[in-house]
Amino acid sequence: MLFRSIAAHEAGHAVCGTLAGEKRRVEEISLYQHGEALGVTVSSSEDNALPAESDLRAQLIALMGGRVAEELLFHEYTGGASSDFAKATDLATLMVTRWGMGSDPEAVTRGVTGRGILSAIAVTDSARPSVEVAAAQDRAVRAILDDAYARARALLLGRMDMLDAVGGYLYEHERMTGDEFEALVDGSL
């Protein structure tokens, strides 16, 4: 069961990233242990010094894809998503606190920026937000993460065939190159 769960988890990352429009290419998917991770999906590390919000949200959807795949295929969770959740939380926090993305979902007044009390405030090492702003930031981060999870779930529910194909291939072969992944996704493998 563990091996199947790891295969599904890694397939979820790759499929969600592809369907969400993540611009980084899947280079390899492996079920071999890498450090603390029991499996890994390696994407190209193209430097994007100025990522758009849509690019960042696609990365979040890909990060959530592993846990969502476990949920959909096994109706059970493992601890395998812990580092994915940590990375996603760090990224969503940067989006809200440093890059002026996201908004307070409970804001009554959206203000000029559309972000409510968050306005154009950015957290720096020397400036701490007020209690109200910190609470709004927490809500905005949570909303971004919840949205990424919901989108990952919708994408995988719409393409269970792709998730099954990639997960099955991984389970059988234990490793998949980026070319094999693309061939499987486009139906030529």
Side-chain angles (χ1 to χ4, degrees):
M1 173 65 178
L2 176 64
F3 207 55
R4 283 189 189 279
S5 180
I6 297 167
H9 184 99
E10 296 307 326
H13 287 311
V15 170
C16 275
T18 297
L19 296 175
E22 186 176 25
K23 293 179 180 171
R24 299 180 307 165
R25 180 184 186 271
V26 171
E27 297 293 336
E28 177 186 8
I29 309 170
S30 172
L31 302 185
Y32 300 116
Q33 187 167 354
H34 295 270
E36 291 183 25
L38 298 178
V40 66
T41 300
V42 179
S43 297
S44 62
S45 58
E46 297 172 14
D47 287 334
N48 185 353
L50 196 59
E53 185 173 0
S54 60
D55 297 332
L56 298 170
R57 287 183 182 265
Q59 285 180 35
L60 290 171
I61 292 167
L63 283 167
M64 297 296 178
R67 169 57 68 87
V68 172
E70 291 178 26
E71 173 195 345
L72 294 176
L73 294 174
F74 303 109
H75 309 288
E76 182 82 85
Y77 301 118
T78 70
S82 63
S83 71
D84 300 331
F85 285 162
K87 287 176 192 173
T89 301
D90 290 346
L91 180 56
T93 300
L94 285 172
M95 290 170 67
V96 170
T97 63
R98 299 280 178 143
W99 301 328
M101 299 173 186
S103 62
D104 179 1
E106 294 181 12
V108 176
T109 305
R110 293 285 174 200
V112 175
T113 64
R115 301 185 72 222
I117 194 173
L118 298 177
S119 185
I121 295 172
V123 176
T124 63
D125 293 334
S126 62
R128 294 189 185 267
S130 68
V131 172
E132 295 84 10
V133 170
Q137 288 172 333
D138 288 346
R139 290 189 298 268
V141 168
R142 191 174 7 185
I144 287 172
L145 294 172
D146 287 349
D147 179 67
Y149 194 93
R151 288 177 187 247
R153 193 171 197 286
L155 288 171
L156 289 180
L157 278 171
R159 290 305 310 268
M160 290 297 288
D161 60 324
M162 188 185 297
L163 179 62
D164 287 340
V166 174
Y169 186 95
L170 279 171
Y171 181 72
E172 184 177 335
H173 299 278
E174 300 180 6
R175 185 180 172 280
M176 176 183 286
T177 66
D179 290 339
E180 291 168 331
F181 173 74
E182 288 176 5
L184 194 66
V185 167
D186 73 20
S188 61
L189 178 65

